[in-house]
Amino acid sequence: MKFYTCILLGIIFSIFESSLLSFIPAEFLKPDVTIPFIIYTTFFHTPQAGLVTSIVMGIIQEVLSTSPNGSMIFSKVLIFLLALFFKNKLYIDSKYSFSNICAGAVVCESLIYILLSWLAKGETKHIENVLFFMFPNAIFTGFIAIFIFSFVRFLNMKFFNKD
């Protein structure tokens, strides 16, 4: 699959996530659907494609969220850099290993967000919320990543004739 197809799917899933899941009152049911696309593009495409994907996904989430300015783009680029570092150290052989890597990336992103919030504003008022919802969001994102990975593999086999 071409990386721009991953970006397009990520944008569609992000808009779907922000528009539909904002009506669900349960905070732990809000996965970060951009992480699987960043991880997939970084692991299975070139580093340039992963960087472009992380910047585009960061911009989309920056526009759709109320987080501090620049924090989403910064955290997505750092997740890309972490994925690039682990690209030769980890092997994704199934949707379950992909799911575990995505869940770990969500935990890292939450810690990056806490550190960035603390360093930029010197405030700690929302840290307990981020810590409380960090693991449920990571688990749910990992669960969603299984379906995203399966969907992308289906598209690869059906339309792009790749294994």
Side-chain angles (χ1 to χ4, degrees):
M1 173 178 287
K2 303 290 185 192
F3 82 93
Y4 51 81
T5 309
C6 279
I7 291 174
L8 182 63
L9 284 173
I11 291 170
I12 291 168
F13 276 74
S14 271
I15 292 171
F16 178 75
E17 170 198 1
S18 65
S19 63
L20 182 68
L21 294 180
S22 64
F23 295 110
I24 297 174
E27 285 292 322
F28 61 88
L29 291 176
K30 296 184 180 179
D32 188 355
V33 295
T34 60
I35 291 290
F37 291 104
I38 292 170
I39 299 294
Y40 186 86
T41 307
T42 303
F43 271 79
F44 296 110
H45 293 289
T46 63
Q48 295 85 359
L51 180 63
V52 169
T53 304
S54 65
I55 290 172
V56 169
M57 296 299 156
I59 289 170
I60 293 296
Q61 279 197 338
E62 192 78 41
V63 169
L64 298 174
S65 74
T66 59
S67 63
N69 294 336
S71 65
M72 285 295 169
I73 297 172
F74 184 74
S75 65
K76 299 300 179 201
V77 170
L78 280 180
I79 292 298
F80 156 73
L81 291 174
L82 284 171
L84 190 62
F85 176 75
F86 285 113
K87 182 177 181 176
N88 295 326
K89 294 168 182 45
L90 298 174
Y91 180 69
I92 297 177
D93 59 344
S94 69
K95 57 187 170 187
Y96 304 110
S97 59
F98 181 74
S99 169
N100 290 333
I101 291 171
C102 290
V106 170
V107 170
C108 288
E109 184 183 32
S110 297
L111 295 175
I112 290 168
Y113 183 76
I114 289 171
L115 184 65
L116 190 63
S117 170
W118 181 65
L119 289 174
K121 293 185 175 180
E123 67 181 26
T124 58
K125 66 179 179 178
H126 295 296
I127 288 179
E128 61 275 353
N129 283 341
V130 174
L131 289 174
F132 183 75
F133 292 115
M134 177 171 49
F135 290 112
N137 286 339
I139 291 169
F140 198 58
T141 300
F143 181 69
I144 296 296
I146 292 172
F147 296 107
I148 290 174
F149 187 78
S150 298
F151 182 65
V152 169
R153 286 193 61 137
F154 167 75
L155 290 177
N156 278 337
M157 289 188 285
K158 185 77 172 172
F159 298 109
F160 299 105
N161 297 326
K162 287 176 122 182
D163 260 337

